Amino acid sequence: MTRGIGKIAFGGIVAFIGLYFVTALAWTWYSSEKRPDPDKPGQRIAEGPVPAPPHPVVIRQPDGKVMVDSGRRDARGEPVMVACATCHDTRPPEPSLHSSSELDEFHQGLTYAHGELSCLSCHNANDYDTLKLANGQAVDFSASMSLCAQCHGPQFRDYRNGSHGGMQGHWDLTRGGRTRNTCIDCHDPHHPAFPQVMPVFPPMPERGETLPHAHHE
Amino acid sequence: MNDTSQGCGSNCSCKGGGGARDDSLFSRRNLLKGGAMTLGAAAFAKALSPLAHWTREETSVEEFLQKHYRELTKIDLELVLKRLEKDAKENYGTDVTITDHRPQKGVKFGYALNLSICIGCRRCAEACHHENNHDRATSNSYIRVLEMTKGSMDMEKGNVHYDHPVPHPDRFYMPVQCQQCDNPPCVDVCPVEATWKEEDGIVVVDYNWCIGCRYCEAACPYHARRFNWKKPVIPKDEINPNQSYLSNRIRPQGVMEKCTFCLHRTRDGRMPACLEACPTGARVFGNLLDPHSEIRKVIDTKRVFVLKEELGTRPSFFYFFDE
Amino acid sequence: MTPPDAETADASRHDARFHATSYLRFLRLAFRLATEGSWLFYAWMFVLTCIALVGTHAWAVQVRDGMAVTAMTDHVSWGLYIANFTFIVGLAAGGVMMVIPAYIYHDRDMHDTVIIGELLAIASIVMCLLFVVVDLGRPDRFWHIMPFVGKFNWPISMLTWDVIVLNGYLLLNLHICGYLLYKRFLGETPDKRWYVPFVFLSIAWAISIHTVTAFLYCGLGGRPFWNTALLAPRFLTSAFVAGPAFIVVVLQIIRRMTKMKIGEGSIRTLVGIMRITILINLVMLVSEIFTSFYTGGSHGVSAKYLFFGHHGHGALVPWMWTSVTFSIIAAILLMRPKVHEHLWTLDIACVLGFAGIWIEKGMGLIIPGFIPSTLHEWVEYLPSATEWKITAGIWAGGLLIYTLLLKVAIPVFSGEANKLSN
């Protein structure tokens, strides 16, 4: 029997649309299964750099000799700095001293809050240009980390594991070096608790956001 | 409504003897209809006129026809990068270098954050803002720092708008950014594969393929994704000129963007900008596949946790506390 | 009109050339039917065109200046557009409540009027697609979502499923309506093989469009408010309130404005459906509320915000209580045994039910999914002027399309059009 060609054509269009969808789905399924093509950037993985000798990790050092502000100013208005030995060579040590307030001169403004330690726990009474480990061994100011590590073992361990203390540079030492902070970059040895700071860069309140201070306080 | 007798369907006008006249193409009625339609079409054209300006200024044929990043050949890609550098020069008046940084074999990035050390100074968020060429007016950043109440890990008790010296003795601080999930919901939902996870674990966005439907933003459980609600504005001398296609190049209007662990730096072996900005060293970054890396040492020696682990997203971003 | 027995004889003799000429005649007639009418018709079209113009312009500005002109933020990243999209998918699916009685249970009255529901599906899907387009940040990249030419993330992305089911539903209904109308125009009896299978497919498809749309949201683990298995059933039930409510009103308007015969049975059946669905919808709402509030914790915090506000944030509270009130009043009115004899009461019930569900599924479902944000930040959302303009524009455009479709379909079905064309 003859059905109109028009109907067949019409059915054809419907079938075509259906087929289009089915093929499209099949195609997307197929293309998602495709293996990577090395010529295309998305599939290309950069070859790792040729193993190179690792670059150094530099730990920042306290620079120069330790000096103390005398409180006086020179002709140009610069503070007059005095070496430790200038005074301490001639004065006897005071082992029981815990606070600068007990002093008559020098170290006047020094805030001191470091556990139960006294000055001579770390400063070397025999040579004020060096520091002193618990066993009495003198160490240079630049090696203060070993002094801190005597008490702060877990922090020192974490530092060595890379999870304490800030750093700059490369995570991949085959590609570049790294600079690490030393203890006193962040902690003042006389009051080592990290100081409070004002936070920077507040997030902008969004449209539709009210800031109820009561919410948190 | 009482004019039903008059007839409101099409039937009335045709019954009124207009039938013969209507058949003529140039009947008065047809001319009127044609006029009205022309007028209507003109009105719509006029209404759409802002589009003409936008098409002229902000799009191009090359941009419109550009293929998906993963389907570009090396030559295609070079042309695209050249075009983007030229566009940046035209739009922002500065010379930038846009590179295509590729993942490195044997590297999968991981990030860890020590919540005992973080003081909530938000320097990481600020560094991100500058490094990644974010819009200045909105102070956008991929990092949000939550001030949390001690005794609870409930973000419900968190606050991002703290404005007092930090660290507050009763609080701790939790910066949150893209967790580079191994099972990223944002990638699954994208209808056009404009976002995907690369071999080194970074979830990236092809800013030139994204259609801006924001489904990924709804799917992300970590508020890690941002939308370019308008064209970013950055003074030309503040633009970071070292840019990457998938990372910190200035994004176009109307597309999604997200943290890429600064892949333009980290794929060169460098630290992410947020880590370098951290004054306390709370952040640890490295290669999860290298057993001697700092990140692996953290995972091995600390008790780390991930955010919203119950969602099964498997983040590559870990948090931990000191003992 | 030729007698029925002659029709089939004619039909078998039709060849391609016959269809080529007669289909052109059909289109010409459709054009004429769609562009002629009373002053009321022209006024209605003029008003709709003006609103659509305002919306079009607002959209063009939004594309040019960026979506910063909307009230959406990175916290509430979907707003009025997706809310309306969700609701209108329901409206499209709701038309199926006419198709089922008409084709499965051979309800005679419904059979005569079912085309009104099918045309509603066409107009609604067009609106849905428009709402998706205006929500895109980069509408110029629409081709990226087309299979073959773009990159179609099927089957992982639920949005690609939605593209398939919505376009598929549009094509199905275009085919069914187009075929039936053309056959009526030819004065022939439609061949069941050419439309009945499609009608049955469209019934299943109608369920799928709304299920897939619910899956868009309820599949997101990071949004506890949406992450409930009850979402798809709730969507379907509320769709079967809003759809029939809209159609009941449309049927009455058609009865007044045209000569089409609207049997009492159609309205009676639709009211019967609404009586059940509106109650089931309320039951589901209550069970959602119970789960949220009795459990408490962060999972219930969005619901608490939605109904009672939270820490001084309460932008959605008036919306939601309006919705609940409307739905309850509509339910009570519909429960009256003789509601279809008091048409004004019925109309009020329909309008309230429709509006109640529009709020519940839109502002009451999409927005609180984002509040609080995934990091528990409290950013609220109320649509901007641009969003209202674009939304109104799309509704106007949809109504315009629906009016034109009815304008063609009604005379063709009543046979009046044939007098014209001959």
Coordinates of all heavy atoms in Angstrom, one line a residue, chain A residues 121 131-139 147 150:
Chain A
S121 N 71.2 32.5 80.9 CA 70.8 31.1 80.4 C 71.4 31.0 79.0 O 71.7 29.9 78.5 CB 69.3 30.9 80.4 OG 68.8 31.1 81.7
L131 N 77.1 33.3 72.3 CA 76.0 32.8 73.2 C 76.5 31.5 73.8 O 77.6 31.0 73.5 CB 74.8 32.5 72.3 CG 74.2 33.7 71.7 CD1 73.2 33.3 70.6 CD2 73.5 34.6 72.7
K132 N 75.7 30.9 74.7 CA 76.2 29.8 75.5 C 75.1 28.7 75.5 O 74.0 28.9 75.7 CB 76.4 30.2 76.9 CG 77.0 29.2 77.8 CD 76.9 29.6 79.3 CE 75.5 29.7 79.8 NZ 75.4 29.9 81.2
L133 N 75.5 27.5 75.1 CA 74.6 26.3 75.2 C 74.5 25.9 76.6 O 75.2 26.3 77.5 CB 75.1 25.2 74.3 CG 75.3 25.4 72.8 CD1 75.7 24.1 72.1 CD2 73.9 25.9 72.2
A134 N 73.5 25.0 76.9 CA 73.3 24.5 78.2 C 74.5 23.8 78.8 O 74.7 23.9 80.0 CB 72.1 23.6 78.2
N135 N 75.3 23.2 78.0 CA 76.5 22.5 78.5 C 77.7 23.5 78.6 O 78.8 23.0 78.8 CB 76.8 21.3 77.5 CG 77.2 21.8 76.1 OD1 77.3 23.0 75.9 ND2 77.4 20.8 75.3
G136 N 77.5 24.8 78.4 CA 78.5 25.7 78.6 C 79.3 26.1 77.4 O 80.1 27.0 77.4
Q137 N 79.1 25.3 76.3 CA 79.8 25.5 75.1 C 79.4 26.9 74.5 O 78.2 27.1 74.4 CB 79.6 24.4 74.1 CG 80.4 24.4 72.9 CD 79.9 23.4 71.9 OE1 79.3 22.4 72.2 NE2 80.2 23.7 70.6
A138 N 80.4 27.7 74.0 CA 80.1 28.9 73.4 C 79.7 28.7 71.9 O 80.3 27.9 71.3 CB 81.3 29.9 73.5
V139 N 78.7 29.4 71.5 CA 78.3 29.4 70.1 C 78.1 30.8 69.6 O 77.8 31.7 70.3 CB 77.0 28.6 69.8 CG1 77.1 27.2 70.0 CG2 75.8 29.2 70.6
L147 N 71.0 26.9 69.7 CA 70.7 27.2 71.1 C 69.2 27.1 71.4 O 68.8 26.5 72.4 CB 71.1 28.7 71.3 CG 70.8 29.3 72.7 CD1 71.8 28.7 73.7 CD2 71.0 30.8 72.7
Q150 N 67.7 23.6 71.8 CA 67.9 22.8 73.0 C 66.5 22.6 73.8 O 66.3 21.5 74.3 CB 68.8 23.6 74.0 CG 70.2 23.7 73.4 CD 71.0 24.5 74.4 OE1 72.0 24.0 74.9 NE2 70.7 25.8 74.6

